[in-house]
Every structure is written in structure tokens, then in C-alpha cells.
């Protein structure tokens, strides 16, 4: 019985450890969102700050959409499992739609945020059509 418990514990820790993705910003720190427009926290959206502006892909995939607004870009990347990775608040992107992306590839540059005095992006993971909380290898910040 003890061996079964140890095996289950090992598998749980192993799955948790390997399910984490690297931070999309080098030496990134997650900024805890206190509230969004609707009055509650969106735990699936990660706001990340860093002293580095380089935005790195956390997964392989294909660029399915680039959204340009007045001051920034958003990249939507789909992997082979039809899951989506959304990188928002980029000042510049190095890609175009239908480009193939490798894990750890440079995607573009993050916008500088005067309030945080650092580069900041928003990152979200969608499992097919549902937004899902994802573990990133980032430092949690207050």
C-alpha cells in the first residue's frame, strides 16, 4: 500500500513539474491581477513583466492570427493539438500569419509599461475553445 501511495505521489509531482511552460519573457514575473472590468479576477490570464523585451514562444505551433491595434500586436499561435497560445501587448512582431513557430523562438518585443517600469505582456492559453489556467515558470509578484 505504501508503495502505491509513493508511486501515485511521484507521478503527480512528475506531471506537475513537466506540465509547466517557460515564461514568455526572460526572467519574467507574474503580476497578480486584482480585478478585471467585470469585478472579478481572471485566473487564466497571466500578466508578465520583465527587464527584457524579448517575447519567447512557450510551444511549437503555427501563427493563425496577428491582431494589430493602435499601439500593439497580439499573436495567436495554434499547436498540433488545436490548443491556442495568445501573446498580447507586443510592440513588434517578427512573424506573419501561417508562419511555423518553434518552442523558445523569438516572437517579437513587449511594450514598455511606465506604471510597472518594465516590459509587460499578457499571456493566455486556450484548450481548444476554453480558456485554461496554465503553469508558467515565472516568479510570482505582488
Amino acid at each position: 500500500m505504501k508503495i502505491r501511495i509513493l508511486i501515485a505521489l511521484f507521478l503527480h509531482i512528475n506531471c506537475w513539474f513537466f506540465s509547466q511552460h517557460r515564461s514568455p519573457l526572460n526572467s519574467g514575473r507574474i503580476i497578480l491581477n486584482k480585478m478585471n472590468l467585470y469585478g472579478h479576477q481572471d485566473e487564466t490570464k497571466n500578466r508578465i513583466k520583465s527587464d527584457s523585451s524579448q517575447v519567447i514562444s512557450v510551444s511549437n505551433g503555427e501563427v493563425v492570427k496577428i491582431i494589430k491595434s493602435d499601439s500593439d500586436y497580439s499573436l495567436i499561435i495554434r499547436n498540433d493539438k488545436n490548443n491556442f497560445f495568445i501573446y498580447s501587448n507586443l510592440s513588434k512582431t517578427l512573424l506573419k500569419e501561417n508562419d511555423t513557430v518553434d518552442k523558445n523562438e523569438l516572437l517579437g518585443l513587449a511594450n514598455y509599461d511606465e506604471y510597472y517600469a518594465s516590459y509587460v505582456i499578457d499571456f493566455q492559453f486556450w484548450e481548444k475553445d476554453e480558456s485554461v489556467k496554465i503553469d508558467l515558470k515565472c516568479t510570482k509578484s505582488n
Side-chain angles (χ1 to χ4, degrees):
M1 184 66 172
K2 290 180 183 177
I3 293 176
R4 287 184 186 170
I5 293 172
L6 288 174
I7 290 172
L9 182 62
F10 174 76
L11 290 175
H12 176 71
I13 290 171
N14 198 29
C15 288
W16 176 80
F17 178 75
F18 288 107
S19 69
Q20 285 188 331
H21 291 274
R22 73 175 312 279
S23 172
L25 286 172
N26 290 327
S27 67
R29 298 180 66 84
I30 294 176
I31 303 167
L32 299 178
N33 286 336
K34 300 297 183 198
M35 236 181 268
N36 70 7
L37 295 174
Y38 305 109
H40 68 300
Q41 183 177 351
D42 181 358
E43 293 186 1
T44 67
K45 183 178 180 181
N46 292 289
R47 177 161 283 172
I48 304 162
K49 70 177 184 174
S50 177
D51 292 333
S52 170
S53 65
Q54 294 184 340
V55 180
I56 308 297
S57 177
V58 300
S59 174
N60 296 340
E62 178 183 344
V63 178
V64 292
K65 188 76 174 167
I66 297 175
I67 302 167
K68 169 89 170 102
S69 69
D70 292 338
S71 62
D72 64 5
Y73 292 91
S74 293
L75 286 176
I76 302 174
I77 297 174
R78 180 179 58 215
N79 69 7
D80 59 349
K81 297 176 185 171
N82 282 328
N83 296 326
F84 296 90
F85 300 85
I86 303 171
Y87 305 80
S88 300
N89 200 35
L90 280 73
S91 64
K92 179 181 180 179
T93 180
L94 304 174
L95 304 168
K96 57 186 182 303
E97 289 182 11
N98 299 319
D99 279 354
T100 301
V101 176
D102 293 324
K103 185 176 182 178
N104 299 324
E105 183 177 336
L106 181 63
L107 301 175
L109 303 176
N111 272 331
Y112 187 80
D113 189 303
E114 296 290 334
Y115 177 79
Y116 292 107
S118 61
Y119 296 96
V120 175
I121 67 162
D122 292 325
F123 176 81
Q124 206 165 17
F125 172 74
W126 285 70
E127 194 167 34
K128 299 192 176 152
D129 62 352
E130 183 178 346
S131 179
V132 177
K133 178 87 174 121
I134 188 171
D135 289 322
L136 296 172
K137 293 180 185 173
C138 293
T139 306
K140 302 280 192 248
S141 185
N142 290 335

